[in-house]
Amino acid sequence: MLACAGAVAVVAPPGAAADLPPAPSVRFVLQLTTSLTLAPAVRDAAVHEVQQIWAREGISIDVASPLDAPVSTPGMRVLIVSAGGASARRDDHRWPVAELTGDGRGEPMAIASVVAARRVLDAAGLADGPGALVARRLGIVLGRAIAHEVGHHLLNTSGHARHGLMRARIDARDFADLRDGGFDLDDDAAHWARARLTRPPADALRLARFVYGP
Ligand SMILES: [Zn+2]
């Protein structure tokens, strides 16, 4: 569910990919709650993956406890739960590990499922192996899924790109690949985001709505 009140639809111009504006320097806080059974190695790998993906766009992801006092920095709540999976979703969405929903107080919240991430490793044939490697892969899958939902939030869109972080469908082996290629924000969205985030950052996040072209 995406809050779009007051949003201004902006269609990315074709060919906007060239000459990306410089990445801004913006902080974004994830108020992270994890399952008590989540291994620290999985959590750390997930956080690192989210940070790495968004750092390329000049967005510095900080992690805070939800018990911390509300911060003025833009951010969102993230839950990593052990059970379940993403609930029923639109047919065009094949990121089965996380979903963006509300926290009941009108604020966005991403929920990511460890069980669903394990299913991805199963589907990729990567569920077995040394414990540290499997934990890292699990964390990477969770982190990519969370980063994708952060993208929906920041771009204020439920739309998807043809490739990159915001693509609609993702192959299980790509999802769990240890290499970090393939999860950049696509150029159209990056161009749009960078142009806006170079303005005063705190209020610039999610002022408008990015719309992927047909
Ligand atoms: Zn999506």
Side-chain angles (χ1 to χ4, degrees), residues 135-208:
R136 185 165 165 229
R137 285 195 193 278
L138 268 180
I140 285 174
V141 168
L142 288 164
R144 287 170 177 169
I146 293 166
H148 177 91
E149 302 306 336
V150 168
H152 278 306
H153 172 67
L154 289 178
L155 297 168
N156 198 11
T157 182
S158 57
H160 288 101
R162 291 189 181 85
H163 60 87
L165 178 68
M166 298 310 296
R167 62 193 186 268
R169 293 177 174 79
I170 182 162
D171 175 82
R173 288 195 71 88
D174 292 342
F175 213 160
D177 196 322
L178 295 177
R179 294 166 296 185
D180 68 358
F183 290 89
D184 290 336
L185 192 60
D186 56 285
D187 283 345
D188 283 348
H191 195 283
W192 183 92
R194 290 180 183 205
R196 280 150 187 82
L197 296 179
T198 48
R199 295 171 195 163
D203 297 328
L205 290 172
R206 298 185 75 246
L207 277 183

Side-chain angles (χ1 to χ4, degrees), residues 21-114:
S25 179
V26 177
R27 284 181 69 223
F28 188 80
V29 176
L30 297 188
Q31 292 195 312
L32 179 65
T33 305
T34 65
S35 157
L36 290 175
T37 58
L38 187 70
V42 176
R43 177 195 183 280
D44 292 349
V47 167
H48 181 261
E49 186 68 13
V50 181
Q51 289 174 327
Q52 189 165 270
I53 287 171
W54 281 104
R56 292 194 282 266
E57 294 307 318
I59 295 179
S60 172
I61 301 278
D62 293 340
V63 176
S65 160
L67 299 178
D68 293 343
V71 288
S72 55
T73 305
M76 65 188 285
R77 292 191 66 200
V78 174
L79 255 57
I80 301 180
V81 299
S82 55
S87 59
R89 35 200 335 161
R90 300 180 314 279
D91 288 341
D92 70 342
H93 202 295
R94 293 291 180 274
W95 284 66
V97 174
E99 64 182 326
L100 189 61
T101 179
D103 70 350
R105 292 173 295 181
E107 297 299 323
M109 179 172 69
I111 302 177
S113 160
V114 179

